[in-house]
Amino acid sequence: MVEVSQISEFGKILIFLITGIILVAMMFFVNRLIAPNNPNPEKLTSYECGEEPTGNAWLPFNSRFYVIALVFLLFDVEMVFVFPWATVFGNHEIIAADARWGWFSLAEMFIFLGILILGLVYVWCKGDLDWIKPKPAVPTTNTSIPASLYEKLNLEQSVYKVKEFALEPVLVSAATATAPATSNEAPIRKPMFKPTFKKPDNE
C-alpha cells in the first residue's frame, strides 16, 4: 500500500521558508552574542572599498561602470542555463528511451552558446569591453546651424544665476490684497457643459 504524503507541495515550500528564516535569525543572534562590540570614531566613519571618500557624492557617474557590469551580468546569468541542460544531457534514462534527445540537447546548447559568443564578439568589436576607448566617438550632425550660435547660447546660459532661497515669506500689503481685479485680467471661464450620470435601467 502506497502511503499518501500528508504535506502538499506548497506546505513543503512553507516549511523551507520558515526554516530559512529561523536559521538566518539564529545566525544573527549568535553573531550578536559572540562578536565583540567596540565602536570607536574610526569604525563609525564612512568608507568606500577601505578608502576615505573624498569630494562631493553628487558627481556625474561614469557610464563605463554600468556598461561593464551589465555585460558581465548578461553573460554570467545566461551561463546559468547550462546547468539544467547538463542535467538533461547527462540523464541516461532519457538517452536510453530515445537517442535523439541527446543529439537534440547537444545541438540546442551549441546554438545557445553560439548566440552568446556572437553577442560577445559584437560587444568586443564595438569596444564596450575596453575600459578607456582609444578612439572616442564624436557625434556629428548634418545640421546647418553654425557652431558660434551654440557658443553664444552657452555664454547666455552661463550668466544665469539661481536666486537664493529665503525662508521669510513675501508680505503682501493690504492695499494690493483688497484691490479689485483690473479689466486686463481674463474672466474665469465656466465649463460649457454639466455632466449628468444616469443609472442603468437594470438597477
Side-chain angles (χ1 to χ4, degrees):
M1 181 176 175
V2 180
E3 293 184 1
V4 179
S5 177
Q6 298 295 325
I7 302 174
S8 65
E9 295 298 324
F10 292 107
K12 294 175 184 176
I13 295 172
L14 180 62
I15 291 173
F16 180 77
L17 290 175
I18 292 172
T19 307
I21 292 170
I22 291 172
L23 286 176
V24 170
M26 283 178 59
M27 290 298 107
F28 276 112
F29 180 70
V30 171
N31 181 33
R32 188 68 181 251
L33 289 178
I34 297 174
N37 186 16
N38 299 320
N40 55 41
E42 189 69 24
K43 286 183 179 180
L44 296 177
T45 55
S46 60
Y47 65 92
E48 182 180 358
C49 300
E51 297 291 334
E52 284 289 335
T54 56
N56 191 3
W58 295 98
L59 294 173
F61 190 80
N62 198 333
S63 62
R64 288 178 293 189
F65 294 99
Y66 174 75
V67 171
I68 290 189
L70 193 64
V71 169
F72 169 75
L73 280 177
L74 175 66
F75 292 103
D76 190 48
V77 171
E78 292 293 334
M79 289 305 293
V80 173
F81 292 106
V82 176
F83 292 103
W85 167 81
T87 58
V88 173
F89 186 70
N91 194 338
H92 299 293
E93 296 176 359
I94 296 177
I95 304 298
D98 193 351
R100 291 178 297 178
W101 278 109
W103 290 107
F104 174 75
S105 59
L106 184 64
E108 189 179 28
M109 183 48 59
F110 270 115
I111 293 170
F112 177 72
L113 291 177
I115 293 171
L116 282 184
I117 292 169
L118 188 65
L120 181 61
V121 169
Y122 171 75
V123 172
W124 194 350
C125 293
K126 196 176 177 185
D128 287 336
L129 296 180
D130 297 330
W131 184 248
I132 297 176
K133 292 187 178 181
K135 295 179 182 178
V138 180
T140 57
T141 58
N142 55 358
T143 181
S144 59
I145 299 175
S148 60
L149 187 60
Y150 287 108
E151 294 177 2
K152 181 182 176 183
L153 185 62
N154 288 333
L155 288 174
E156 290 177 359
Q157 291 293 328
S158 63
V159 179
Y160 179 77
K161 292 182 180 179
V162 180
K163 292 174 67 176
E164 293 185 3
F165 177 73
L167 291 175
E168 293 80 12
V170 180
L171 299 175
V172 181
S173 61
T176 57
T178 57
T182 59
S183 59
N184 294 335
E185 295 179 359
I188 299 172
R189 296 182 63 185
K190 295 184 179 179
M192 300 295 292
F193 69 94
K194 184 177 180 182
T196 56
F197 299 99
K198 294 182 179 179
K199 282 189 173 183
D201 295 334
N202 56 2
E203 287 189 0

